[in-house]
Amino acid sequence: MKRTLTALGTAAVLAAGLLTAGTTTASAAMPTCTGANTYVDAVGYTVEMPTDYENGSNFCVMGRGASGRGVEALQWTMHFCYGQINLAKDGQFGPATEAALKKVQASEGLVADGVYGPNTRDRIKHKWEIWDQGIYRCLRMSQAPAPIRD
């Protein structure tokens, strides 16, 4: 009995290690959001979406230490759509941006890890605006009137 429990415990530890290693490898393979693209929906609202500058894909991740237009776009979204009014919009992903993102993730039912990636991108509301009119709205990408183009 004691041997069986020990074997089960060892198997559980190994399985947990494999699951963690798989997750780490998957995020390590995803490019970092180093820029932002502007997307336009069917009725003329635009959104700045964090992207991988090199290939323009919005399938990217960013966390503490990241910087640039993608971080700034996220900061403005959290300011307008989630009331993070005191958050600097400086394009620097520091402790304040990480804490704000954790609050936003928790409010949307996500794991609050403070890392922006495809799951967060799809679940949070982004700031869509008509630039020359000062009109904005907060929608998920899936809620914006299609077709969406960049």
Side-chain angles (χ1 to χ4, degrees), residues 69-92:
R69 278 185 58 216
V71 176
E72 188 176 354
L74 176 62
Q75 290 167 332
W76 278 108
T77 280
M78 292 191 296
H79 171 89
F80 278 102
C81 299
Y82 292 95
Q84 301 294 322
I85 295 168
N86 294 324
L87 182 63
K89 278 64 81 186
D90 59 2
Q92 301 299 314

Side-chain angles (χ1 to χ4, degrees), residues 46-57:
T46 62
V47 65
E48 287 283 308
M49 185 67 57
T51 56
D52 169 23
Y53 181 75
E54 197 166 306
N55 66 27
S57 171

Side-chain angles (χ1 to χ4, degrees), residues 18-31:
L18 288 174
L19 288 174
T20 303
T23 302
T24 302
T25 303
S27 13
M30 185 148 321

Side-chain angles (χ1 to χ4, degrees), residues 30-51:
M30 185 148 321
T32 302
C33 302
T34 53
N37 277 358
T38 301
Y39 295 93
V40 183
D41 72 13
V43 293
Y45 282 82
T46 62
V47 65
E48 287 283 308
M49 185 67 57
T51 56

Side-chain angles (χ1 to χ4, degrees), residues 85-150:
I85 295 168
N86 294 324
L87 182 63
K89 278 64 81 186
D90 59 2
Q92 301 299 314
F93 201 122
T97 299
E98 180 181 56
L101 182 56
K102 285 180 180 181
K103 286 180 188 175
V104 168
Q105 289 170 322
S107 76
E108 293 294 349
L110 293 163
V111 173
D113 61 3
V115 175
Y116 176 92
N119 289 336
T120 298
R121 179 204 62 217
D122 291 345
R123 292 283 297 275
I124 70 171
K125 294 175 183 167
H126 300 272
K127 178 188 175 219
W128 293 80
E129 66 182 316
I130 298 180
W131 290 15
D132 60 349
Q133 296 178 24
I135 300 170
Y136 78 91
R137 62 188 182 183
C138 296
L139 296 174
R140 291 182 177 92
M141 285 292 284
S142 62
Q143 295 173 316
I148 296 173
R149 63 193 192 315
D150 60 5

